[in-house]
Amino acid sequence: MLFRPAKTEAHLFLSAVKPINPPNATAMAMWFRKRLRNRKIIGWKLDWPNLRLALELSPRLEPASGKFLVLNARSGMKFTNELMEGFGQSPEWPALEDILENKDIWREYPHISPPFRKALSNLPEEQRHHFYMEMASGKMPLFFLHKSKQGWTSPLSWSRKEESESFVSALEAGNSYGERTLFPLLEMEEEKPGQTLLKRARKKVERNLARLEEEENRLQKLADEKIKAEALQAELYKFKLLEGLEVITATHPHHGPQTIPLNPYLSPTENMEHYFKLAAKADRGFPHIQRRRTELLAELKQLEAGGIPESQQQGKSPLPEATSSLPKRYKGLAVSLFRSSDGFTILRGKNKQANHAMLSRASSPFDYWLHLSDGPSSHVILKRDHPGQEVPQRTLVEAAILCGLKSYRQDDGKADIMYALVKDIRKIKGFAHGQVMVDQRKGTLRVDLDPTLEKRLGG
């Protein structure tokens, strides 16, 4: 099923042919994929006068999503738990005479479109009522595609003077129309990757600048908490020994009286320290905001000049930033951290417990998981920033070598290392820690085990 919303010429049809898709899925596509994965269509409801189709989906707990996926030909897709009142109800069909007399009847009855009214008006009087009743009862025998100077028009259930083709069902007409109009459009975009990429890159930069503005506003609110902390500090002697306070009024040396909410489970001193920590967090964030804004403005300037920043060129992905120590969410995991020659982060478990925990605490579904093919070894996670990010062969080989160096083949000089996506690795209840099932491998690498690699990559 192919769906492409648009204000005028939208597409929703079934096809056995897979169209050209962009090399990397958009963030919105990945968001929907995540929430649709492993769900089935168990029902549907059609609201054709408003060009909407609701697909009832099997339930899914995580991530939370709606019961229905609504496809709106004009505005796109969305999840919802409840359909709007009246969704899918059969529309009312006015009297034929009212249609012929009122040119604006489509405003009250959207299914009485101007082209349909014109087709009725052009028919001989003795044929109008039969045609109208066939349309209202959904019993039209044929559907037509018409070709004008501008190209093929949307399927209609009546014939016109232009060149046309007939079909016995709306599905066949929709399929033929979609393949004739949508597929060439996608190919045209593929033939002009520069223009398409330029437009997409500009939108991405503008979107990132807007998000940066939101983040700066959030940090500014944290920075303003310093006033509360300083007011508390100035008059802490009044409240230091009190407990269970929920709000106090303290006078700031420069900003005057301040009403300060407190956590009653913390002492006034601890509340003061908490406000100072929030302000310090903002102080640490502002330089990064400024650096990132400078980068984005430079990219925007390059785009306005017709160039595409290297980080957004098709088929290229920016290298991940190196980390000198484990992020906070990895703390407590017995893992070694490496940085590949191409800048990718590689994690290697030090024991069975770490191997077991890495899959859930230190990996994303699109990361790579590596393990010795024919025996025990440490688990290795090769981190990626997003599902479309390409991993250089050199980095993949380095991760495989790091895996082999912590296996029973470490003294053999060579080892066969298999790798797969984390989403294809399953922990099985009852298995020992570190034992998993691999649903689908990406491949196997035979590598030379270089014992100096660990030191060079900084483990």
mmCIF file with all atom_site columns, all heavy atoms in Angstrom, residues 93-114 117 132:
data_model
loop_
_atom_site.group_PDB
_atom_site.id
_atom_site.type_symbol
_atom_site.label_atom_id
_atom_site.label_alt_id
_atom_site.label_comp_id
_atom_site.label_asym_id
_atom_site.label_entity_id
_atom_site.label_seq_id
_atom_site.pdbx_PDB_ins_code
_atom_site.Cartn_x
_atom_site.Cartn_y
_atom_site.Cartn_z
_atom_site.occupancy
_atom_site.B_iso_or_equiv
_atom_site.pdbx_formal_charge
_atom_site.auth_seq_id
_atom_site.auth_comp_id
_atom_site.auth_asym_id
_atom_site.auth_atom_id
_atom_site.pdbx_PDB_model_num
ATOM 1   N N   . TRP A 1 93  ? -27.380 12.080 0.783   1.00 0.00 ? 93  TRP A N   1
ATOM 2   C CA  . TRP A 1 93  ? -27.431 12.471 -0.624  1.00 0.00 ? 93  TRP A CA  1
ATOM 3   C C   . TRP A 1 93  ? -28.634 13.382 -0.841  1.00 0.00 ? 93  TRP A C   1
ATOM 4   O O   . TRP A 1 93  ? -29.771 12.966 -0.654  1.00 0.00 ? 93  TRP A O   1
ATOM 5   C CB  . TRP A 1 93  ? -27.522 11.232 -1.518  1.00 0.00 ? 93  TRP A CB  1
ATOM 6   C CG  . TRP A 1 93  ? -26.258 10.410 -1.479  1.00 0.00 ? 93  TRP A CG  1
ATOM 7   C CD1 . TRP A 1 93  ? -25.922 9.482  -0.559  1.00 0.00 ? 93  TRP A CD1 1
ATOM 8   C CD2 . TRP A 1 93  ? -25.188 10.497 -2.404  1.00 0.00 ? 93  TRP A CD2 1
ATOM 9   N NE1 . TRP A 1 93  ? -24.674 8.968  -0.838  1.00 0.00 ? 93  TRP A NE1 1
ATOM 10  C CE2 . TRP A 1 93  ? -24.197 9.571  -1.973  1.00 0.00 ? 93  TRP A CE2 1
ATOM 11  C CE3 . TRP A 1 93  ? -24.933 11.246 -3.544  1.00 0.00 ? 93  TRP A CE3 1
ATOM 12  C CZ2 . TRP A 1 93  ? -23.001 9.380  -2.647  1.00 0.00 ? 93  TRP A CZ2 1
ATOM 13  C CZ3 . TRP A 1 93  ? -23.744 11.057 -4.223  1.00 0.00 ? 93  TRP A CZ3 1
ATOM 14  C CH2 . TRP A 1 93  ? -22.785 10.140 -3.770  1.00 0.00 ? 93  TRP A CH2 1
ATOM 15  N N   . PRO A 1 94  ? -28.395 14.620 -1.219  1.00 0.00 ? 94  PRO A N   1
ATOM 16  C CA  . PRO A 1 94  ? -29.509 15.563 -1.399  1.00 0.00 ? 94  PRO A CA  1
ATOM 17  C C   . PRO A 1 94  ? -30.337 15.232 -2.645  1.00 0.00 ? 94  PRO A C   1
ATOM 18  O O   . PRO A 1 94  ? -29.950 14.397 -3.467  1.00 0.00 ? 94  PRO A O   1
ATOM 19  C CB  . PRO A 1 94  ? -28.805 16.913 -1.550  1.00 0.00 ? 94  PRO A CB  1
ATOM 20  C CG  . PRO A 1 94  ? -27.455 16.560 -2.106  1.00 0.00 ? 94  PRO A CG  1
ATOM 21  C CD  . PRO A 1 94  ? -27.094 15.228 -1.507  1.00 0.00 ? 94  PRO A CD  1
ATOM 22  N N   . ALA A 1 95  ? -31.447 15.897 -2.786  1.00 0.00 ? 95  ALA A N   1
ATOM 23  C CA  . ALA A 1 95  ? -32.297 15.700 -3.956  1.00 0.00 ? 95  ALA A CA  1
ATOM 24  C C   . ALA A 1 95  ? -31.570 16.156 -5.216  1.00 0.00 ? 95  ALA A C   1
ATOM 25  O O   . ALA A 1 95  ? -30.795 17.119 -5.203  1.00 0.00 ? 95  ALA A O   1
ATOM 26  C CB  . ALA A 1 95  ? -33.605 16.478 -3.790  1.00 0.00 ? 95  ALA A CB  1
ATOM 27  N N   . LEU A 1 96  ? -31.816 15.459 -6.308  1.00 0.00 ? 96  LEU A N   1
ATOM 28  C CA  . LEU A 1 96  ? -31.134 15.757 -7.563  1.00 0.00 ? 96  LEU A CA  1
ATOM 29  C C   . LEU A 1 96  ? -31.402 17.195 -7.998  1.00 0.00 ? 96  LEU A C   1
ATOM 30  O O   . LEU A 1 96  ? -30.508 17.883 -8.502  1.00 0.00 ? 96  LEU A O   1
ATOM 31  C CB  . LEU A 1 96  ? -31.598 14.764 -8.635  1.00 0.00 ? 96  LEU A CB  1
ATOM 32  C CG  . LEU A 1 96  ? -30.979 14.906 -10.025 1.00 0.00 ? 96  LEU A CG  1
ATOM 33  C CD1 . LEU A 1 96  ? -29.461 14.808 -9.954  1.00 0.00 ? 96  LEU A CD1 1
ATOM 34  C CD2 . LEU A 1 96  ? -31.542 13.832 -10.961 1.00 0.00 ? 96  LEU A CD2 1
ATOM 35  N N   . GLU A 1 97  ? -32.609 17.653 -7.798  1.00 0.00 ? 97  GLU A N   1
ATOM 36  C CA  . GLU A 1 97  ? -32.962 19.022 -8.201  1.00 0.00 ? 97  GLU A CA  1
ATOM 37  C C   . GLU A 1 97  ? -32.141 20.062 -7.437  1.00 0.00 ? 97  GLU A C   1
ATOM 38  O O   . GLU A 1 97  ? -31.719 21.083 -8.000  1.00 0.00 ? 97  GLU A O   1
ATOM 39  C CB  . GLU A 1 97  ? -34.458 19.281 -7.966  1.00 0.00 ? 97  GLU A CB  1
ATOM 40  C CG  . GLU A 1 97  ? -35.385 18.447 -8.828  1.00 0.00 ? 97  GLU A CG  1
ATOM 41  C CD  . GLU A 1 97  ? -35.496 17.005 -8.365  1.00 0.00 ? 97  GLU A CD  1
ATOM 42  O OE1 . GLU A 1 97  ? -35.033 16.726 -7.219  1.00 0.00 ? 97  GLU A OE1 1
ATOM 43  O OE2 . GLU A 1 97  ? -36.004 16.162 -9.115  1.00 0.00 ? 97  GLU A OE2 1
ATOM 44  N N   . ASP A 1 98  ? -31.898 19.790 -6.144  1.00 0.00 ? 98  ASP A N   1
ATOM 45  C CA  . ASP A 1 98  ? -31.105 20.726 -5.344  1.00 0.00 ? 98  ASP A CA  1
ATOM 46  C C   . ASP A 1 98  ? -29.674 20.808 -5.863  1.00 0.00 ? 98  ASP A C   1
ATOM 47  O O   . ASP A 1 98  ? -29.046 21.880 -5.832  1.00 0.00 ? 98  ASP A O   1
ATOM 48  C CB  . ASP A 1 98  ? -31.096 20.291 -3.880  1.00 0.00 ? 98  ASP A CB  1
ATOM 49  C CG  . ASP A 1 98  ? -32.477 20.390 -3.251  1.00 0.00 ? 98  ASP A CG  1
ATOM 50  O OD1 . ASP A 1 98  ? -33.312 21.142 -3.785  1.00 0.00 ? 98  ASP A OD1 1
ATOM 51  O OD2 . ASP A 1 98  ? -32.716 19.702 -2.237  1.00 0.00 ? 98  ASP A OD2 1
ATOM 52  N N   . ILE A 1 99  ? -29.140 19.681 -6.315  1.00 0.00 ? 99  ILE A N   1
ATOM 53  C CA  . ILE A 1 99  ? -27.772 19.669 -6.843  1.00 0.00 ? 99  ILE A CA  1
ATOM 54  C C   . ILE A 1 99  ? -27.672 20.519 -8.093  1.00 0.00 ? 99  ILE A C   1
ATOM 55  O O   . ILE A 1 99  ? -26.729 21.313 -8.265  1.00 0.00 ? 99  ILE A O   1
ATOM 56  C CB  . ILE A 1 99  ? -27.330 18.217 -7.145  1.00 0.00 ? 99  ILE A CB  1
ATOM 57  C CG1 . ILE A 1 99  ? -27.289 17.398 -5.858  1.00 0.00 ? 99  ILE A CG1 1
ATOM 58  C CG2 . ILE A 1 99  ? -25.981 18.192 -7.841  1.00 0.00 ? 99  ILE A CG2 1
ATOM 59  C CD1 . ILE A 1 99  ? -26.964 15.934 -6.072  1.00 0.00 ? 99  ILE A CD1 1
ATOM 60  N N   . LEU A 1 100 ? -28.646 20.381 -8.991  1.00 0.00 ? 100 LEU A N   1
ATOM 61  C CA  . LEU A 1 100 ? -28.592 21.096 -10.266 1.00 0.00 ? 100 LEU A CA  1
ATOM 62  C C   . LEU A 1 100 ? -28.799 22.592 -10.077 1.00 0.00 ? 100 LEU A C   1
ATOM 63  O O   . LEU A 1 100 ? -28.301 23.403 -10.867 1.00 0.00 ? 100 LEU A O   1
ATOM 64  C CB  . LEU A 1 100 ? -29.650 20.530 -11.209 1.00 0.00 ? 100 LEU A CB  1
ATOM 65  C CG  . LEU A 1 100 ? -29.462 19.044 -11.588 1.00 0.00 ? 100 LEU A CG  1
ATOM 66  C CD1 . LEU A 1 100 ? -30.618 18.575 -12.461 1.00 0.00 ? 100 LEU A CD1 1
ATOM 67  C CD2 . LEU A 1 100 ? -28.134 18.836 -12.301 1.00 0.00 ? 100 LEU A CD2 1
ATOM 68  N N   . GLU A 1 101 ? -29.520 22.966 -9.035  1.00 0.00 ? 101 GLU A N   1
ATOM 69  C CA  . GLU A 1 101 ? -29.827 24.385 -8.826  1.00 0.00 ? 101 GLU A CA  1
ATOM 70  C C   . GLU A 1 101 ? -28.770 25.124 -8.008  1.00 0.00 ? 101 GLU A C   1
ATOM 71  O O   . GLU A 1 101 ? -28.672 26.351 -8.099  1.00 0.00 ? 101 GLU A O   1
ATOM 72  C CB  . GLU A 1 101 ? -31.186 24.513 -8.116  1.00 0.00 ? 101 GLU A CB  1
ATOM 73  C CG  . GLU A 1 101 ? -32.353 24.049 -8.967  1.00 0.00 ? 101 GLU A CG  1
ATOM 74  C CD  . GLU A 1 101 ? -33.653 24.068 -8.194  1.00 0.00 ? 101 GLU A CD  1
ATOM 75  O OE1 . GLU A 1 101 ? -33.612 24.463 -6.988  1.00 0.00 ? 101 GLU A OE1 1
ATOM 76  O OE2 . GLU A 1 101 ? -34.695 23.679 -8.750  1.00 0.00 ? 101 GLU A OE2 1
ATOM 77  N N   . ASN A 1 102 ? -27.969 24.398 -7.221  1.00 0.00 ? 102 ASN A N   1
ATOM 78  C CA  . ASN A 1 102 ? -27.023 25.046 -6.290  1.00 0.00 ? 102 ASN A CA  1
ATOM 79  C C   . ASN A 1 102 ? -25.583 24.714 -6.667  1.00 0.00 ? 102 ASN A C   1
ATOM 80  O O   . ASN A 1 102 ? -25.115 23.593 -6.479  1.00 0.00 ? 102 ASN A O   1
ATOM 81  C CB  . ASN A 1 102 ? -27.325 24.587 -4.861  1.00 0.00 ? 102 ASN A CB  1
ATOM 82  C CG  . ASN A 1 102 ? -26.474 25.310 -3.823  1.00 0.00 ? 102 ASN A CG  1
ATOM 83  O OD1 . ASN A 1 102 ? -25.665 26.182 -4.159  1.00 0.00 ? 102 ASN A OD1 1
ATOM 84  N ND2 . ASN A 1 102 ? -26.664 24.959 -2.564  1.00 0.00 ? 102 ASN A ND2 1
ATOM 85  N N   . LYS A 1 103 ? -24.868 25.694 -7.195  1.00 0.00 ? 103 LYS A N   1
ATOM 86  C CA  . LYS A 1 103 ? -23.473 25.470 -7.600  1.00 0.00 ? 103 LYS A CA  1
ATOM 87  C C   . LYS A 1 103 ? -22.545 25.253 -6.416  1.00 0.00 ? 103 LYS A C   1
ATOM 88  O O   . LYS A 1 103 ? -21.502 24.625 -6.549  1.00 0.00 ? 103 LYS A O   1
ATOM 89  C CB  . LYS A 1 103 ? -22.972 26.667 -8.417  1.00 0.00 ? 103 LYS A CB  1
ATOM 90  C CG  . LYS A 1 103 ? -23.615 26.805 -9.771  1.00 0.00 ? 103 LYS A CG  1
ATOM 91  C CD  . LYS A 1 103 ? -22.987 27.961 -10.531 1.00 0.00 ? 103 LYS A CD  1
ATOM 92  C CE  . LYS A 1 103 ? -23.605 28.097 -11.926 1.00 0.00 ? 103 LYS A CE  1
ATOM 93  N NZ  . LYS A 1 103 ? -22.991 29.205 -12.702 1.00 0.00 ? 103 LYS A NZ  1
ATOM 94  N N   . ASP A 1 104 ? -22.912 25.785 -5.249  1.00 0.00 ? 104 ASP A N   1
ATOM 95  C CA  . ASP A 1 104 ? -22.048 25.681 -4.066  1.00 0.00 ? 104 ASP A CA  1
ATOM 96  C C   . ASP A 1 104 ? -22.487 24.567 -3.123  1.00 0.00 ? 104 ASP A C   1
ATOM 97  O O   . ASP A 1 104 ? -22.146 24.588 -1.935  1.00 0.00 ? 104 ASP A O   1
ATOM 98  C CB  . ASP A 1 104 ? -22.038 27.022 -3.308  1.00 0.00 ? 104 ASP A CB  1
ATOM 99  C CG  . ASP A 1 104 ? -21.403 28.139 -4.119  1.00 0.00 ? 104 ASP A CG  1
ATOM 100 O OD1 . ASP A 1 104 ? -20.465 27.834 -4.872  1.00 0.00 ? 104 ASP A OD1 1
ATOM 101 O OD2 . ASP A 1 104 ? -21.853 29.286 -3.996  1.00 0.00 ? 104 ASP A OD2 1
ATOM 102 N N   . ILE A 1 105 ? -23.209 23.602 -3.642  1.00 0.00 ? 105 ILE A N   1
ATOM 103 C CA  . ILE A 1 105 ? -23.722 22.549 -2.770  1.00 0.00 ? 105 ILE A CA  1
ATOM 104 C C   . ILE A 1 105 ? -22.608 21.699 -2.162  1.00 0.00 ? 105 ILE A C   1
ATOM 105 O O   . ILE A 1 105 ? -22.772 21.086 -1.110  1.00 0.00 ? 105 ILE A O   1
ATOM 106 C CB  . ILE A 1 105 ? -24.731 21.655 -3.535  1.00 0.00 ? 105 ILE A CB  1
ATOM 107 C CG1 . ILE A 1 105 ? -25.555 20.836 -2.541  1.00 0.00 ? 105 ILE A CG1 1
ATOM 108 C CG2 . ILE A 1 105 ? -24.002 20.786 -4.566  1.00 0.00 ? 105 ILE A CG2 1
ATOM 109 C CD1 . ILE A 1 105 ? -26.759 20.167 -3.160  1.00 0.00 ? 105 ILE A CD1 1
ATOM 110 N N   . TRP A 1 106 ? -21.444 21.688 -2.801  1.00 0.00 ? 106 TRP A N   1
ATOM 111 C CA  . TRP A 1 106 ? -20.320 20.899 -2.295  1.00 0.00 ? 106 TRP A CA  1
ATOM 112 C C   . TRP A 1 106 ? -19.834 21.404 -0.932  1.00 0.00 ? 106 TRP A C   1
ATOM 113 O O   . TRP A 1 106 ? -19.198 20.660 -0.188  1.00 0.00 ? 106 TRP A O   1
ATOM 114 C CB  . TRP A 1 106 ? -19.151 20.934 -3.292  1.00 0.00 ? 106 TRP A CB  1
ATOM 115 C CG  . TRP A 1 106 ? -18.629 22.303 -3.576  1.00 0.00 ? 106 TRP A CG  1
ATOM 116 C CD1 . TRP A 1 106 ? -19.055 23.168 -4.545  1.00 0.00 ? 106 TRP A CD1 1
ATOM 117 C CD2 . TRP A 1 106 ? -17.590 22.990 -2.880  1.00 0.00 ? 106 TRP A CD2 1
ATOM 118 N NE1 . TRP A 1 106 ? -18.363 24.344 -4.508  1.00 0.00 ? 106 TRP A NE1 1
ATOM 119 C CE2 . TRP A 1 106 ? -17.447 24.260 -3.486  1.00 0.00 ? 106 TRP A CE2 1
ATOM 120 C CE3 . TRP A 1 106 ? -16.775 22.672 -1.795  1.00 0.00 ? 106 TRP A CE3 1
ATOM 121 C CZ2 . TRP A 1 106 ? -16.520 25.197 -3.056  1.00 0.00 ? 106 TRP A CZ2 1
ATOM 122 C CZ3 . TRP A 1 106 ? -15.843 23.600 -1.377  1.00 0.00 ? 106 TRP A CZ3 1
ATOM 123 C CH2 . TRP A 1 106 ? -15.723 24.842 -1.990  1.00 0.00 ? 106 TRP A CH2 1
ATOM 124 N N   . ARG A 1 107 ? -20.139 22.650 -0.598  1.00 0.00 ? 107 ARG A N   1
ATOM 125 C CA  . ARG A 1 107 ? -19.721 23.170 0.709   1.00 0.00 ? 107 ARG A CA  1
ATOM 126 C C   . ARG A 1 107 ? -20.450 22.453 1.845   1.00 0.00 ? 107 ARG A C   1
ATOM 127 O O   . ARG A 1 107 ? -19.880 22.233 2.914   1.00 0.00 ? 107 ARG A O   1
ATOM 128 C CB  . ARG A 1 107 ? -19.994 24.673 0.791   1.00 0.00 ? 107 ARG A CB  1
ATOM 129 C CG  . ARG A 1 107 ? -19.214 25.502 -0.230  1.00 0.00 ? 107 ARG A CG  1
ATOM 130 C CD  . ARG A 1 107 ? -19.458 26.985 -0.047  1.00 0.00 ? 107 ARG A CD  1
ATOM 131 N NE  . ARG A 1 107 ? -18.822 27.772 -1.085  1.00 0.00 ? 107 ARG A NE  1
ATOM 132 C CZ  . ARG A 1 107 ? -17.540 28.137 -1.074  1.00 0.00 ? 107 ARG A CZ  1
ATOM 133 N NH1 . ARG A 1 107 ? -16.781 27.790 -0.057  1.00 0.00 ? 107 ARG A NH1 1
ATOM 134 N NH2 . ARG A 1 107 ? -17.030 28.859 -2.066  1.00 0.00 ? 107 ARG A NH2 1
ATOM 135 N N   . GLU A 1 108 ? -21.695 22.085 1.613   1.00 0.00 ? 108 GLU A N   1
ATOM 136 C CA  . GLU A 1 108 ? -22.474 21.359 2.613   1.00 0.00 ? 108 GLU A CA  1
ATOM 137 C C   . GLU A 1 108 ? -22.333 19.853 2.436   1.00 0.00 ? 108 GLU A C   1
ATOM 138 O O   . GLU A 1 108 ? -22.354 19.105 3.412   1.00 0.00 ? 108 GLU A O   1
ATOM 139 C CB  . GLU A 1 108 ? -23.941 21.764 2.513   1.00 0.00 ? 108 GLU A CB  1
ATOM 140 C CG  . GLU A 1 108 ? -24.816 21.131 3.589   1.00 0.00 ? 108 GLU A CG  1
ATOM 141 C CD  . GLU A 1 108 ? -26.261 21.619 3.513   1.00 0.00 ? 108 GLU A CD  1
ATOM 142 O OE1 . GLU A 1 108 ? -26.555 22.508 2.672   1.00 0.00 ? 108 GLU A OE1 1
ATOM 143 O OE2 . GLU A 1 108 ? -27.093 21.105 4.285   1.00 0.00 ? 108 GLU A OE2 1
ATOM 144 N N   . TYR A 1 109 ? -22.188 19.440 1.191   1.00 0.00 ? 109 TYR A N   1
ATOM 145 C CA  . TYR A 1 109 ? -22.061 18.011 0.878   1.00 0.00 ? 109 TYR A CA  1
ATOM 146 C C   . TYR A 1 109 ? -20.754 17.819 0.092   1.00 0.00 ? 109 TYR A C   1
ATOM 147 O O   . TYR A 1 109 ? -20.742 17.912 -1.141  1.00 0.00 ? 109 TYR A O   1
ATOM 148 C CB  . TYR A 1 109 ? -23.238 17.521 0.039   1.00 0.00 ? 109 TYR A CB  1
ATOM 149 C CG  . TYR A 1 109 ? -24.588 17.716 0.689   1.00 0.00 ? 109 TYR A CG  1
ATOM 150 C CD1 . TYR A 1 109 ? -25.348 18.852 0.425   1.00 0.00 ? 109 TYR A CD1 1
ATOM 151 C CD2 . TYR A 1 109 ? -25.089 16.758 1.560   1.00 0.00 ? 109 TYR A CD2 1
ATOM 152 C CE1 . TYR A 1 109 ? -26.584 19.037 1.019   1.00 0.00 ? 109 TYR A CE1 1
ATOM 153 C CE2 . TYR A 1 109 ? -26.332 16.931 2.166   1.00 0.00 ? 109 TYR A CE2 1
ATOM 154 C CZ  . TYR A 1 109 ? -27.073 18.073 1.889   1.00 0.00 ? 109 TYR A CZ  1
ATOM 155 O OH  . TYR A 1 109 ? -28.296 18.244 2.477   1.00 0.00 ? 109 TYR A OH  1
ATOM 156 N N   . PRO A 1 110 ? -19.630 17.590 0.792   1.00 0.00 ? 110 PRO A N   1
ATOM 157 C CA  . PRO A 1 110 ? -18.327 17.559 0.101   1.00 0.00 ? 110 PRO A CA  1
ATOM 158 C C   . PRO A 1 110 ? -18.222 16.455 -0.948  1.00 0.00 ? 110 PRO A C   1
ATOM 159 O O   . PRO A 1 110 ? -17.400 16.549 -1.862  1.00 0.00 ? 110 PRO A O   1
ATOM 160 C CB  . PRO A 1 110 ? -17.324 17.332 1.249   1.00 0.00 ? 110 PRO A CB  1
ATOM 161 C CG  . PRO A 1 110 ? -18.142 16.807 2.385   1.00 0.00 ? 110 PRO A CG  1
ATOM 162 C CD  . PRO A 1 110 ? -19.496 17.387 2.240   1.00 0.00 ? 110 PRO A CD  1
ATOM 163 N N   . HIS A 1 111 ? -19.052 15.406 -0.844  1.00 0.00 ? 111 HIS A N   1
ATOM 164 C CA  . HIS A 1 111 ? -18.979 14.324 -1.838  1.00 0.00 ? 111 HIS A CA  1
ATOM 165 C C   . HIS A 1 111 ? -19.664 14.710 -3.149  1.00 0.00 ? 111 HIS A C   1
ATOM 166 O O   . HIS A 1 111 ? -19.489 14.016 -4.153  1.00 0.00 ? 111 HIS A O   1
ATOM 167 C CB  . HIS A 1 111 ? -19.614 13.050 -1.285  1.00 0.00 ? 111 HIS A CB  1
ATOM 168 C CG  . HIS A 1 111 ? -20.976 13.232 -0.715  1.00 0.00 ? 111 HIS A CG  1
ATOM 169 N ND1 . HIS A 1 111 ? -21.196 13.943 0.437   1.00 0.00 ? 111 HIS A ND1 1
ATOM 170 C CD2 . HIS A 1 111 ? -22.200 12.801 -1.138  1.00 0.00 ? 111 HIS A CD2 1
ATOM 171 C CE1 . HIS A 1 111 ? -22.497 13.937 0.705   1.00 0.00 ? 111 HIS A CE1 1
ATOM 172 N NE2 . HIS A 1 111 ? -23.125 13.259 -0.234  1.00 0.00 ? 111 HIS A NE2 1
ATOM 173 N N   . ILE A 1 112 ? -20.428 15.805 -3.158  1.00 0.00 ? 112 ILE A N   1
ATOM 174 C CA  . ILE A 1 112 ? -21.002 16.313 -4.407  1.00 0.00 ? 112 ILE A CA  1
ATOM 175 C C   . ILE A 1 112 ? -20.000 17.312 -4.983  1.00 0.00 ? 112 ILE A C   1
ATOM 176 O O   . ILE A 1 112 ? -20.151 18.537 -4.846  1.00 0.00 ? 112 ILE A O   1
ATOM 177 C CB  . ILE A 1 112 ? -22.380 16.983 -4.175  1.00 0.00 ? 112 ILE A CB  1
ATOM 178 C CG1 . ILE A 1 112 ? -23.292 16.073 -3.367  1.00 0.00 ? 112 ILE A CG1 1
ATOM 179 C CG2 . ILE A 1 112 ? -23.017 17.346 -5.507  1.00 0.00 ? 112 ILE A CG2 1
ATOM 180 C CD1 . ILE A 1 112 ? -23.655 14.782 -4.064  1.00 0.00 ? 112 ILE A CD1 1
ATOM 181 N N   . SER A 1 113 ? -18.965 16.810 -5.596  1.00 0.00 ? 113 SER A N   1
ATOM 182 C CA  . SER A 1 113 ? -17.882 17.667 -6.072  1.00 0.00 ? 113 SER A CA  1
ATOM 183 C C   . SER A 1 113 ? -18.326 18.434 -7.316  1.00 0.00 ? 113 SER A C   1
ATOM 184 O O   . SER A 1 113 ? -19.240 18.007 -8.048  1.00 0.00 ? 113 SER A O   1
ATOM 185 C CB  . SER A 1 113 ? -16.660 16.822 -6.403  1.00 0.00 ? 113 SER A CB  1
ATOM 186 O OG  . SER A 1 113 ? -16.945 15.940 -7.473  1.00 0.00 ? 113 SER A OG  1
ATOM 187 N N   . PRO A 1 114 ? -17.698 19.570 -7.589  1.00 0.00 ? 114 PRO A N   1
ATOM 188 C CA  . PRO A 1 114 ? -18.033 20.313 -8.815  1.00 0.00 ? 114 PRO A CA  1
ATOM 189 C C   . PRO A 1 114 ? -17.915 19.475 -10.088 1.00 0.00 ? 114 PRO A C   1
ATOM 190 O O   . PRO A 1 114 ? -18.785 19.579 -10.960 1.00 0.00 ? 114 PRO A O   1
ATOM 191 C CB  . PRO A 1 114 ? -17.043 21.493 -8.785  1.00 0.00 ? 114 PRO A CB  1
ATOM 192 C CG  . PRO A 1 114 ? -16.804 21.723 -7.323  1.00 0.00 ? 114 PRO A CG  1
ATOM 193 C CD  . PRO A 1 114 ? -16.802 20.338 -6.715  1.00 0.00 ? 114 PRO A CD  1
ATOM 194 N N   . ARG A 1 117 ? -21.019 17.299 -10.223 1.00 0.00 ? 117 ARG A N   1
ATOM 195 C CA  . ARG A 1 117 ? -22.201 18.095 -10.558 1.00 0.00 ? 117 ARG A CA  1
ATOM 196 C C   . ARG A 1 117 ? -22.208 18.463 -12.038 1.00 0.00 ? 117 ARG A C   1
ATOM 197 O O   . ARG A 1 117 ? -23.262 18.436 -12.697 1.00 0.00 ? 117 ARG A O   1
ATOM 198 C CB  . ARG A 1 117 ? -22.216 19.368 -9.700  1.00 0.00 ? 117 ARG A CB  1
ATOM 199 C CG  . ARG A 1 117 ? -23.423 20.255 -9.946  1.00 0.00 ? 117 ARG A CG  1
ATOM 200 C CD  . ARG A 1 117 ? -23.335 21.561 -9.161  1.00 0.00 ? 117 ARG A CD  1
ATOM 201 N NE  . ARG A 1 117 ? -24.468 22.419 -9.484  1.00 0.00 ? 117 ARG A NE  1
ATOM 202 C CZ  . ARG A 1 117 ? -24.551 23.171 -10.577 1.00 0.00 ? 117 ARG A CZ  1
ATOM 203 N NH1 . ARG A 1 117 ? -23.545 23.193 -11.448 1.00 0.00 ? 117 ARG A NH1 1
ATOM 204 N NH2 . ARG A 1 117 ? -25.631 23.922 -10.804 1.00 0.00 ? 117 ARG A NH2 1
ATOM 205 N N   . TYR A 1 132 ? -27.227 9.113  -11.077 1.00 0.00 ? 132 TYR A N   1
ATOM 206 C CA  . TYR A 1 132 ? -27.138 9.599  -9.696  1.00 0.00 ? 132 TYR A CA  1
ATOM 207 C C   . TYR A 1 132 ? -27.366 8.458  -8.701  1.00 0.00 ? 132 TYR A C   1
ATOM 208 O O   . TYR A 1 132 ? -26.667 8.334  -7.693  1.00 0.00 ? 132 TYR A O   1
ATOM 209 C CB  . TYR A 1 132 ? -28.144 10.720 -9.488  1.00 0.00 ? 132 TYR A CB  1
ATOM 210 C CG  . TYR A 1 132 ? -28.087 11.359 -8.114  1.00 0.00 ? 132 TYR A CG  1
ATOM 211 C CD1 . TYR A 1 132 ? -26.895 11.860 -7.614  1.00 0.00 ? 132 TYR A CD1 1
ATOM 212 C CD2 . TYR A 1 132 ? -29.235 11.486 -7.332  1.00 0.00 ? 132 TYR A CD2 1
ATOM 213 C CE1 . TYR A 1 132 ? -26.841 12.465 -6.372  1.00 0.00 ? 132 TYR A CE1 1
ATOM 214 C CE2 . TYR A 1 132 ? -29.195 12.088 -6.083  1.00 0.00 ? 132 TYR A CE2 1
ATOM 215 C CZ  . TYR A 1 132 ? -27.992 12.576 -5.611  1.00 0.00 ? 132 TYR A CZ  1
ATOM 216 O OH  . TYR A 1 132 ? -27.940 13.164 -4.377  1.00 0.00 ? 132 TYR A OH  1
#
